[in-house]
Amino acid sequence: MAPDRQRPRPPVRLRRTRRRAAVLAAVLVSALAGPLSPGAAPASAATGPRTVPAPAVMAVLGDSISRGFDACLPLQDCPDVSWSTGSNPAVASHAARLRTVAPGLVATNLAVSGATSALLPAMAAAAVAARADYVEVLMGANDACRPSEAQMTPVETFRANYSAALTRLAAGGARVFTASVPDVEAVWRVGKDVPAARAIWESFRPCQTMLANPLSTARADRERRDRVRERIQDYNAVISQVCAATPNCRFDHRAVFKHEPTLAELSPIDFYHPSVEGQRTLSDRLWEETYRFRPAG
């Protein structure tokens, strides 16, 4: 029998290629194995640890969306249906879900209808004073939704406001969850062909930067809508960046912005704010993006 011959080693480049292929295969096998269990979610440098102890006190900072404005009665807040801190079972708010692991949770709604990011630092200070150890933030729609484009908040001003708020919350030791600014153009697309929506928009004039002349296809109106949407995208880039630079902060990866609302998810009062169903949808989408809470201790 002829002696065995030692096979020549493949070239270095080929060996490196094989090693990379093996690593890629291992990654693919892990991905195909399915999602991690809630208690086994990995840490991410961009978003911080996913699984954390449930808080004792939570607060929400924001505007009319988080106050449930026009969801129940005309021109009134309805915090009971807030996606964040509401108690109405039809919404299944984050506070309600948190109480399954933290029955004694105290939830405080510090949002203010009509607020812009200019009020965010003061809201953050109020949350720290309330000893909130978990804070949700949904702010920015009113910075873009103004009577005119000239009145929209400049991006760097928005950055300064948001940074000041998150710095204050971090100094107070709170975990923070930041939601993206909604795509108001999506609201326009849903409502523009509904006569009742157009009549309300003309009478009460919400978000004129986006909703003025809703049926117009003139170049000036199309470009105006594009600029407002671009400004909102700029705000969301700021939120992502500021959150990434803040300890214990998670961003929703633009889950709110990416959502295309249905007509049923808009208030039948103003066809602009979320309805009760819209608040429920907000709660669902954002719950998937925030921390995974376990009982404290």
Side-chain angles (χ1 to χ4, degrees):
M1 178 181 280
D4 291 338
R5 289 185 179 180
Q6 184 177 6
R7 284 188 286 179
R9 298 186 71 190
V12 172
R13 180 177 298 175
L14 180 58
R15 295 202 302 273
R16 289 175 177 167
T17 300
R18 287 175 176 173
R19 282 198 298 270
R20 290 171 184 158
V23 171
L24 178 59
V27 171
L28 288 174
V29 168
S30 176
L32 291 172
L36 294 169
S37 64
S44 164
T47 58
R50 189 74 198 269
T51 304
V52 300
V57 180
M58 73 170 289
V60 63
L61 318 183
D63 53 30
S64 53
I65 294 175
S66 297
R67 292 294 298 174
F69 185 83
D70 266 359
C72 303
L73 296 172
L75 305 179
Q76 292 186 37
D77 289 346
C78 189
D80 186 51
V81 300
S82 169
W83 65 274
S84 175
T85 58
S87 58
N88 190 316
V91 172
S93 72
H94 288 193
R97 299 175 200 231
L98 267 167
R99 288 193 177 104
T100 63
V101 292
L105 177 76
V106 175
T108 304
N109 193 321
L110 297 173
V112 177
S113 290
T116 67
S117 63
L119 284 182
L120 204 48
M123 292 179 184
V128 172
R131 300 183 181 276
D133 49 349
Y134 172 59
V135 178
E136 298 186 322
V137 185
L138 175 49
M139 176 71 85
N142 290 328
D143 290 270
C145 282
R146 308 300 297 164
S148 69
E149 286 184 78
Q151 294 172 281
M152 292 194 300
T153 303
V155 175
E156 288 311 307
T157 301
F158 185 85
R159 182 186 299 276
N161 294 336
Y162 221 98
S163 294
L166 264 58
T167 297
R168 185 72 183 89
L169 292 172
R175 292 188 193 281
V176 183
F177 174 60
T178 57
S180 51
V181 182
D183 183 1
V184 187
E185 187 180 59
V187 174
W188 166 75
R189 287 194 296 269
V190 167
K192 68 182 177 65
D193 295 319
V194 179
R198 294 198 305 272
I200 290 294
W201 293 350
E202 183 176 354
S203 297
F204 292 94
R205 303 175 68 80
C207 197
Q208 285 299 280
T209 47
M210 179 62 71
L211 302 181
N213 304 323
L215 289 180
S216 174
T217 58
R219 179 176 178 178
D221 289 311
R222 287 187 285 108
E223 291 180 348
R224 165 178 52 82
R225 297 181 197 118
D226 288 344
R227 287 191 297 270
V228 174
R229 190 171 192 267
E230 182 177 354
R231 181 64 60 91
I232 291 174
Q233 290 175 309
D234 289 342
Y235 292 159
N236 284 332
V238 166
I239 296 170
S240 176
Q241 293 159 9
V242 173
C243 183
T246 303
N248 297 318
C249 183
R250 289 189 61 84
F251 178 55
D252 77 344
H253 299 98
R254 295 175 174 79
V256 175
F257 179 81
K258 293 175 183 177
H259 180 60
E260 293 278 339
T262 65
L263 191 60
E265 291 171 350
L266 299 182
S267 164
I269 297 169
D270 63 14
F271 297 92
Y272 173 60
H273 289 91
S275 63
V276 173
E277 183 173 334
Q279 292 282 349
R280 170 67 189 233
T281 300
L282 265 179
S283 179
D284 285 347
R285 291 184 68 83
L286 292 177
W287 188 250
E288 293 299 316
E289 295 293 336
T290 190
Y291 300 94
R292 292 172 180 164
F293 297 99
R294 64 176 185 269

